[in-house]
Amino acid sequence: MKIIIPAILGFTCMLAHSQENNPVRIIIGFAAGGNGDIIARLLAEELRPVLGRNVIVENKPGAGGRLAAQTLKAAAHDGSNYMLAPDSWAIFPTILNTESQLRYKLKSDFSPVARIVSYPLGLFVSESTGVNTLKEYVEKAKADPSIALYGSSGSGSITEFLGIVMSKEFGFKMTVVPFKGGGDVKSNLMGGQVPAGVMTPGDGLAEVGGKIKPLGFFVEERWSIAPQVPTFKEQGFNIVNGGAFSAFWTHAKTPEAERSKMEEALKKVLSKPSVQERLAKIYVRADFAEGKVLGQQVDRLINYWTPIVKESSLKPQ
């Protein structure tokens, strides 16, 4: 026994040392340079001293976040692999695609870790429209269908489906013009190629030089980071389910102790005023919620959007 116990202790120490040397990987479904990439790298920097391990970011852009999800599913489930993704990754592919098309199962292959940040989506218009308020836009678009075109950041995204909600509320059809990302929507709005667009604050408010005007956010209350932008609701249009967030997921077989360790580390990092300030500069709000709450929120959103998506008759991409 005197020989066996030291051997066991030595083996345990070797395992712990091996894990410390094994970096934590944050997989994201976006190219380098975008908001998602900036958030991931900011968190990686802050998580290193908290976890006592190196943290790296791996970009796996493509297929609306599905490639990143497939990468996480195939990765080791030892607590070293996580995915940072927007809520739309969990919601719309799940509604639009079969599990065989996705090559993963949301509920059984992944476990929610924590919600990280939140932000509202909004309707923005080109200065070429000559409108300054949401009511002016609705009146003009009713008379001129060419103004009722709106850019979205991709087919099958929340930025497209919000157009269906707007059509019902406005009483006329909003026609989507899909682009490959928010940056493309922004540049086409600035150039006047499209009259309106559904975008994030990071795309619609930063460095637009007055060429783009925000008409309203699709949320219940004014957003603290941009309180000058009114909500749709306060302008007489009851559209309030246009908020978005980004969150961490891990493999469903990741040990609960490891999942909880990351959850607590993220909570600690996001409570730092310096981190909150850095996030606010890119127009997102630190908005931590534990994994259980995250899972419940995703379930509610899937239930809300399913009939809207089915009504659109959009085919999976």
Side-chain angles (χ1 to χ4, degrees):
M1 183 65 72
K2 291 181 179 178
I3 297 173
I4 294 173
I5 290 176
I8 293 173
L9 290 174
F11 180 68
T12 303
C13 289
M14 286 175 62
L15 285 176
H17 182 67
S18 175
Q19 187 185 50
E20 288 175 3
N21 289 334
N22 186 26
V24 172
R25 180 171 61 152
I26 302 174
I27 305 163
I28 64 168
F30 314 99
N35 256 24
D37 181 68
I38 294 170
I39 293 167
R41 294 181 190 281
L42 186 160
L43 291 175
E45 174 189 330
E46 295 288 339
L47 284 168
R48 287 177 190 124
V50 177
L51 295 172
R53 297 171 65 182
N54 188 25
V55 183
I56 61 174
V57 175
E58 183 173 321
N59 302 85
K60 289 286 184 180
R66 282 177 283 171
L67 184 58
Q70 291 162 3
T71 302
L72 177 62
K73 180 185 175 182
H77 36 82
D78 58 359
S80 296
N81 294 286
Y82 297 86
M83 178 176 68
L84 174 62
D87 55 331
S88 58
W89 157 78
I91 298 164
F92 298 105
T94 301
I95 298 171
L96 281 165
N97 300 271
T98 65
E99 290 173 348
S100 61
Q101 289 170 327
L102 293 174
R103 290 188 284 154
Y104 59 77
K105 298 178 181 179
L106 177 65
K107 291 295 185 71
S108 58
D109 287 330
F110 306 110
S111 178
V113 179
R115 187 180 67 214
I116 305 303
V117 298
S118 63
Y119 46 92
L121 294 166
L123 180 66
F124 296 80
V125 293
S126 169
E127 65 174 351
S128 63
T129 60
V131 301
N132 295 296
T133 68
L134 183 56
K135 288 186 177 180
E136 286 179 9
Y137 172 77
V138 171
E139 289 173 3
K140 191 165 186 176
K142 279 182 178 178
D144 182 2
S146 68
I147 304 298
L149 299 176
Y150 70 100
S152 81
S153 61
S155 180
S157 71
I158 186 174
T159 59
E160 175 169 359
F161 294 121
L162 278 166
I164 299 171
V165 181
M166 283 192 289
S167 294
K168 287 185 174 180
E169 194 69 16
F170 295 162
F172 59 85
K173 180 176 174 56
M174 295 284 290
T175 302
V176 66
V177 182
F179 291 95
K180 292 183 179 180
D184 288 343
V185 179
K186 175 181 176 178
S187 61
N188 279 274
L189 268 177
M190 292 181 71
Q193 285 83 14
V194 289
V198 176
M199 295 191 294
T200 67
D203 287 322
L205 296 178
E207 300 176 5
V208 295
K211 293 182 179 294
I212 301 175
K213 299 176 183 178
L215 297 186
F217 287 143
F218 305 102
V219 288
E220 284 276 2
E221 299 176 349
R222 291 206 182 199
W223 193 43
S224 59
I225 295 177
Q228 75 277 15
V229 181
T231 68
F232 265 58
K233 187 175 181 179
E234 69 184 271
Q235 298 177 84
F237 300 97
N238 190 29
I239 307 177
V240 297
N241 285 293
F245 61 86
S246 292
F248 265 56
W249 276 266
T250 190
H251 198 289
K253 293 183 180 179
T254 295
E256 177 57 24
E258 293 297 324
R259 194 207 65 80
S260 295
K261 188 185 297 182
M262 177 59 81
E263 182 182 73
E264 287 302 312
L266 288 166
K267 183 178 182 179
K268 182 175 182 178
V269 164
L270 290 165
S271 69
K272 296 174 63 175
S274 59
V275 171
Q276 294 170 6
E277 290 171 7
R278 290 173 68 185
L279 289 170
K281 287 181 180 178
I282 58 171
Y283 293 94
V284 295
R285 179 170 65 92
D287 190 13
F288 174 85
E290 62 184 18
K292 181 179 179 180
V293 173
L294 168 60
Q296 293 169 344
Q297 186 176 13
V298 169
D299 286 344
R300 287 195 303 271
L301 288 169
I302 289 175
N303 290 334
Y304 171 80
W305 283 108
T306 294
I308 296 171
V309 172
K310 297 298 185 185
E311 181 184 333
S312 74
S313 300
L314 184 75
K315 303 299 181 185
Q317 298 296 304

